Amino acid sequence: MCHKKIKLMADYKVKVLAVKNVTHNVHSFTIEKPKGFTYKPGQATDLSILKEKWEKEKRPFTFTSLPNGDTLEFTIKSYTDHDGVTNQLTNIKPGDSFEISDAWGAIEYKDEGVFLAGGAGVTPFIAILRDLYSQDKIGSNKLFFSNKTTKDIILKDEFKKMLGNNFINIISEENAKGFYHGRIDKEFLQKNIEDFKQPFYVCGPDAFMASILKALKELGAHPDSLVFEK
């Protein structure tokens, strides 16, 4: 997720308006937007399910809707190998309720650069790229997206529409035609990126982030150009 909990300022009870399948294990949830609620693309909230035994189980999730919309949206991967919050979310239906906090988070767009995402770590980048695309400011931004299989790629068609050939998929556990096979590592970065002075936006599992950030610094990226949730 790339998000770590920080100080909460307020809580809001919101109703679920719609649930939609995105991939085999990812759903989007459209919810009510509290009056006056604000956030920046890339930011997150602490969310809990307002059902018995789950009200106090808050978890960080990124807004994937645009800030000027009438509703809020989350795009969430469910881990069904244990009975946690994301597994419980597979049972959510319109009419159910969540509790969310004020928005927080340090992932924010600076300038054109390279987005590096591992699996569900792409979620903070969804609103950022949607916001840029809506303003016709997508520019030369690139997204390198690492997944285990092609069926795991979140919003593949939308990213392709927004980024064209600057949407590059890396698949680690299958040899799929038209996709890079392997992982995003130092060798991959050195081969596929020319300018290490531009901004880099990094999000994914902890091991993915640690590896990528270390490689970027070794390749000459300045620490101030690295955007991630610290």
Side-chain angles (χ1 to χ4, degrees):
M1 279 302 165
C2 305
H3 291 300
K4 296 179 181 178
K5 187 175 179 181
I6 62 173
K7 180 182 177 184
L8 298 182
M9 297 175 65
D11 291 311
Y12 309 86
K13 180 179 177 180
V14 291
K15 190 170 288 186
V16 177
L17 303 175
V19 182
K20 186 174 71 174
N21 289 345
V22 178
T23 72
H24 64 102
N25 61 0
V26 176
H27 298 84
S28 74
F29 299 87
T30 302
I31 67 170
E32 294 174 326
K33 184 178 184 179
K35 186 176 180 180
F37 192 90
T38 61
Y39 63 97
K40 295 177 182 178
Q43 287 193 311
T45 184
D46 287 294
L47 179 150
S48 61
I49 301 168
L50 292 181
K51 289 188 176 183
E52 189 178 355
K53 298 180 181 178
W54 294 98
E55 299 97 326
K56 296 182 180 179
E57 296 293 328
K58 292 190 177 294
R59 298 292 185 274
F61 295 109
T62 312
F63 300 102
T64 53
S65 45
L66 296 181
N68 59 1
D70 295 329
T71 58
L72 301 175
E73 181 197 80
F74 302 97
T75 303
I76 300 173
K77 180 178 179 179
S78 289
Y79 298 88
T80 55
D81 56 345
H82 64 282
D83 191 22
V85 171
T86 66
N87 182 55
Q88 284 293 315
L89 286 171
T90 62
N91 301 316
I92 291 296
K93 295 177 175 57
D96 291 338
S97 295
F98 295 153
E99 185 175 83
I100 62 171
S101 70
D102 279 326
W104 54 267
I107 296 181
E108 185 178 354
Y109 186 68
K110 289 186 173 183
D111 205 345
E112 286 185 17
V114 176
F115 292 79
L116 298 154
V122 79
T123 51
F125 305 152
I126 294 172
I128 291 174
L129 294 172
R130 283 175 170 173
D131 186 49
L132 292 171
Y133 186 74
S134 72
Q135 300 178 65
D136 198 24
K137 293 181 179 179
I138 207 76
S140 60
N141 283 296
K142 283 189 177 182
L143 169 60
F144 291 96
F145 193 10
S146 175
N147 285 283
K148 291 181 178 179
T149 70
T150 54
K151 72 176 184 177
D152 296 318
I153 302 172
I154 298 169
L155 299 177
K156 181 173 67 173
D157 292 341
E158 184 176 358
F159 283 133
K160 182 68 177 174
K161 178 183 176 182
M162 291 192 293
L163 294 161
N165 292 333
N166 283 337
F167 174 43
I168 300 104
N169 289 281
I170 300 90
I171 305 298
S172 62
E173 293 187 4
E174 67 179 11
N175 273 306
K177 187 177 180 181
F179 295 86
Y180 283 93
H181 176 67
R183 298 180 184 278
I184 302 177
D185 54 18
K186 184 177 179 181
E187 183 182 358
F188 178 91
L189 295 171
Q190 198 163 23
K191 184 178 179 181
N192 290 279
I193 296 171
E194 295 179 5
D195 176 15
F196 286 93
K197 303 302 181 186
Q198 62 187 314
F200 290 91
Y201 306 85
V202 186
C203 192
D206 289 345
F208 172 90
M209 288 186 60
S211 170
I212 298 296
L213 292 169
K214 180 175 182 288
L216 287 169
K217 289 173 185 175
E218 290 174 354
L219 291 166
H222 193 279
D224 290 344
S225 72
L226 303 177
V227 181
F228 61 100
E229 200 63 56
K230 300 173 179 65

